Amino acid sequence: MSTPAVRIHDRHSSPATFVEEVLQGLAACPKRIAPKYFYDERGSRLFDAICELPEYYLTRTEMAILESCAAEVARLAGSGSTLIELGSGASRKIRLLLETLRPRHYLGVDISREFLIESARRLAADYPWLEVHAACADFSQELEVPDATANGRRLAFFPGSTIGNFEPHEALTFLQRVRRLVQPDGALLIGVDLKKDPKILHAAYNDRQGITAAFNLNLFERLRRELGAELDPDGFRHRAFYNTLHGRIEMHLLSRRAQEVRILSRRFGFEAGESVHTESSYKYTVEEFRALARRAGLWPVRVWRDTEQLFSVHYLSAARTAAAAPGSG
Ligand code: AVI
């Protein structure tokens, strides 16, 4: 069988490398490493396992919301559009939207080239009526659409509450970029985790099987595997807690004792109890998120929530239409 046609567009930027960012982050005070570095092959597999955990309500709740709102999204977006997925193309969520929206083009944007192309090929094989494009790009940088998909209205899709992993000022910049990407007649469909009882959040990031702990600690194992770091992963432990003041889950790797980590002839001292901040996962109320979107020039049209008010899916329009009036949805 021939390989299904996927148009590939390489949009390489030159972001700081893993090693540069790690050395800078460990020299900083407090120490930190960006969450994008969780996702090597093992980290991506662990994240997939997190999405199946009973405590991690986000994935299944968002999927259920999408199932119930897909027909309305299709009505709002119209037919013959270009669906732009920011992130992976492997999930059931994008398939649901493709089947309901029947867009003309699909454009997957992801930094991980192999994974992106593999997912795009699978979509092209399963949906022969769809023109599939894959753009290898870092979506935290300026985004652009390949010429071949330039016609038609654009609907960007950013699921999973990944927006929560950006600091609020980065989230604003990202939404402004998406606004430019979809142009004045386009829209964004975005999944955003809601503020809630901290006990539910605590359980979601401290699961009983220890998968989230393994996901967090894998970052240090990456340092050993890829940078030859001299460190003892057992000398650190996973810590996740809800920071009420900032409205975010924080994940840290906590040093169990005073110790030293060596990477490429650089030495980093740790006191007992000192941590490396590895991830923030911001939670928003519907109104907080709408206010952020409006600042980026994206107008709230509809919001859907589950009955337990755990998760929200927003449809935001780049144009300020009657449907995007204040208080809508
Ligand atoms: C990808 N991101 C939205 C996840 C989150 O919930 O912030 C990553 C994650 N970290 C721990 N568990 C899941």
Side-chain angles (χ1 to χ4, degrees):
M1 213 177 85
S2 63
T3 316
V6 170
R7 285 154 229 219
I8 299 162
H9 313 268
D10 283 304
R11 297 273 186 275
H12 288 297
S13 54
S14 49
T17 61
F18 180 42
V19 61
E20 282 163 358
E21 282 203 25
V22 165
L23 295 177
Q24 260 174 34
L26 292 183
C29 186
K31 295 178 170 64
R32 57 171 184 268
I33 299 180
K36 64 181 171 190
Y37 294 120
F38 281 137
Y39 301 93
D40 66 344
E41 207 188 315
R42 179 159 184 265
S44 300
R45 269 191 281 114
L46 286 165
F47 180 64
D48 287 346
I50 288 175
C51 294
E52 302 291 324
L53 288 169
E55 297 95 333
Y56 197 76
Y57 58 86
L58 287 81
T59 314
R60 62 173 177 277
T61 310
E62 183 180 46
M63 186 65 202
I65 297 172
L66 288 170
E67 272 165 3
S68 68
C69 74
E72 199 178 342
V73 171
R75 268 198 305 281
L76 289 165
S79 56
S81 58
T82 295
L83 181 59
I84 305 171
E85 190 187 20
L86 303 165
S88 89
S91 74
R92 287 198 296 132
K93 298 172 201 166
I94 195 67
R95 288 169 177 266
L96 171 73
L97 284 184
L98 288 171
E99 284 158 24
T100 321
L101 263 77
R102 303 276 299 192
R104 181 151 164 236
H105 308 279
Y106 163 84
L107 170 65
V109 182
D110 205 293
I111 188 77
S112 163
R113 199 171 189 279
E114 304 308 305
F115 182 69
L116 169 76
I117 294 172
E118 191 45 49
S119 315
R121 288 212 167 111
R122 258 180 276 138
L123 292 180
D126 294 346
Y127 304 105
W129 46 266
L130 184 68
E131 196 176 302
V132 176
H133 296 256
C136 180
D138 181 349
F139 56 72
S140 63
Q141 316 267 315
E142 195 62 39
L143 303 161
E144 60 184 76
V145 156
D147 291 344
T149 62
N151 298 328
R153 281 173 78 183
R154 298 173 189 171
L155 177 67
F157 179 49
F158 194 48
S161 201
T162 303
I163 191 81
N165 296 135
F166 294 140
E167 289 300 315
H169 71 277
E170 295 167 342
L172 177 65
T173 307
F174 173 78
L175 292 173
Q176 286 166 333
R177 276 194 198 117
V178 174
R179 164 73 178 69
R180 287 194 287 276
L181 177 78
V182 298
Q183 304 201 322
D185 60 347
L188 168 65
L189 185 69
I190 183 166
V192 184
D193 197 18
L194 291 170
K195 285 198 164 133
K196 59 182 64 67
D197 181 346
K199 283 207 239 27
I200 299 176
L201 290 168
H202 186 271
Y205 292 83
N206 291 281
D207 66 276
R208 282 196 288 180
Q209 293 172 54
I211 311 280
T212 311
F215 172 71
N216 197 7
L217 282 158
N218 179 55
L219 193 54
F220 270 10
E221 280 162 24
R222 258 196 97 175
L223 301 186
R224 291 210 308 174
R225 283 195 296 269
E226 292 178 35
L227 307 180
E230 289 172 47
L231 68 84
D232 170 18
D234 293 338
F236 291 86
R237 71 173 179 87
H238 165 73
R239 179 167 186 241
F241 63 92
Y242 185 62
N243 181 327
T244 319
L245 184 68
H246 292 288
R248 67 187 189 204
I249 284 281
E250 289 185 20
M251 293 217 310
H252 295 259
L253 287 167
L254 214 67
S255 183
R256 293 182 190 271
R257 53 173 195 271
Q259 58 184 313
E260 194 176 78
V261 166
R262 274 185 240 176
I263 306 175
L264 302 170
S265 75
R266 297 270 302 270
R267 293 156 186 263
F268 303 95
F270 283 80
E271 289 169 20
E274 189 177 347
S275 84
V276 181
H277 186 165
T278 51
E279 186 181 63
S280 290
S281 194
Y282 282 84
K283 311 299 169 188
Y284 292 89
T285 64
V286 165
E287 257 331 302
E288 282 169 349
F289 191 72
R290 284 182 154 184
L292 184 69
R294 281 191 198 98
R295 283 176 64 203
L298 288 164
W299 305 100
V301 175
R302 282 284 278 135
V303 62
W304 299 272
R305 278 162 282 197
D306 57 298
T307 48
E308 289 173 78
Q309 313 280 310
L310 295 173
F311 200 89
S312 60
V313 173
H314 294 250
Y315 188 97
L316 306 166
S317 164
R320 199 173 187 174
T321 60
S328 55

